[in-house]
Amino acid sequence: MDVSLANPHMGAQVREVLRNVLAWCPFDKLLYAPDGNGISELHYLAAVLFRRYIARIAIDWVSDGAWNANQAKRVIDAIAHANAERLYGLA
């Protein structure tokens, strides 16, 4: 599953979408994608929103004791690049 979900068009709603996706989908099946069709600024905006909200979710879950810091880093790294590297044989 890619977690682009129209990121550049959702603004702050991205946080809730990411939270739901993380709750339902196995972490090793998630891929980041910018979903920035068209102008390059949409790719940039999508990356900013993804980084901002995945970090906030991870901070919340670490604070709540659901993850430790190493687990949070591992999941974010997997979604951001490691899963795609594995899937497409890029590692």
Side-chain angles (χ1 to χ4, degrees), residues 56-74:
R56 290 183 184 173
I57 292 166
I59 290 166
D60 289 347
W61 289 8
V62 168
S63 295
D64 291 345
W67 287 346
N68 63 41
N70 289 333
Q71 290 168 320
K73 181 182 181 329
R74 185 174 46 83

Side-chain angles (χ1 to χ4, degrees), residues 6 13-14 16 23 39-41 45-46 52 62 74 76 79 84:
Q13 298 292 335
V14 170
E16 206 50 43
I39 61 175
S40 58
E41 287 83 352
L45 178 59
R52 176 181 299 155
V62 168
R74 185 174 46 83
I76 292 170
I79 296 168

